[in-house]
Amino acid sequence: MAAKPLVRYKRTRRRRCDNRDIQAENIMAVSPQFRDFVLDQLNALGPLETKRLFGGLSVRCEGLHFGALLSGNMFYLVADPALRSDLEALGGAIFSYARGEKVIEVPRFVSVPEEILEDVDELLPLARRALDIARRDPRRRQA
């Protein structure tokens, strides 16, 4: 029996033919003024820093990711089911994004309503709860 000849396939770079250009126009970056405003509101928590996350910024305190500035000047807190329901009762919404025809919800991030964000006395207890949730998160890396 004769051996089949070895067929080599030319490796080609796969081209994406989706609507990335259209999606890129719909994504709004976080403004530096909004970032500074949120960090000023949260400065009582301790030293804060931001790092890039998805198309926005991760908000960290003591190296713990407890919030995010995403989708054009929206502030989200990391939430467990109890904090999620409290934020939703105040008017917050679960972070969601479109992937093709589907809408993907990320219940770990819940938005902080604008009225709460502007009132430090209401914002700080919620942010402290999110920071406690981040401390207890089993997925966090030990340094």
Side-chain angles (χ1 to χ4, degrees):
M1 193 155 103
K4 288 186 178 182
L6 182 63
V7 178
R8 296 192 181 238
Y9 294 98
K10 182 179 177 186
R11 276 189 134 172
T12 58
R13 187 174 260 178
R14 193 172 166 185
R15 297 180 80 198
R16 292 189 174 181
C17 297
D18 57 9
N19 58 353
R20 293 176 82 187
D21 295 332
I22 295 169
Q23 291 173 352
E25 290 174 10
N26 293 331
I27 296 173
M28 296 175 7
V30 176
S31 74
Q33 296 85 5
F34 182 69
R35 181 196 61 146
D36 292 344
F37 170 74
V38 171
L39 294 180
D40 285 344
Q41 295 291 85
L42 298 171
N43 71 1
L45 295 176
L48 299 170
E49 65 179 342
T50 59
K51 291 189 176 186
R52 292 179 61 177
L53 173 74
F54 307 128
L57 297 170
S58 165
V59 180
R60 297 168 179 261
C61 181
E62 302 167 3
L64 296 171
H65 166 71
F66 73 96
L69 298 166
L70 300 172
S71 63
N73 296 341
M74 289 292 294
F75 179 56
Y76 293 84
L77 288 173
V78 170
D80 62 2
L83 181 57
R84 183 180 315 119
S85 65
D86 290 348
L87 284 168
E88 287 179 320
L90 293 169
I94 293 173
F95 176 71
S96 62
Y97 63 94
R99 177 181 276 170
E101 304 264 332
K102 293 183 181 179
V103 174
I104 309 294
E105 287 191 337
V106 183
R108 178 173 162 84
F109 294 112
V110 182
S111 67
V112 176
E114 188 175 335
E115 308 81 46
I116 304 296
L117 191 57
E118 292 175 358
D119 186 352
V120 175
D121 295 330
E122 289 189 49
L123 176 62
L124 285 177
L126 296 170
R128 284 188 179 103
R129 286 175 62 188
L131 194 52
D132 288 339
I133 291 165
R135 282 189 184 105
R136 294 189 314 261
D137 189 352
R139 294 176 290 182
R140 80 181 178 112
R141 293 183 186 143
Q142 298 294 326

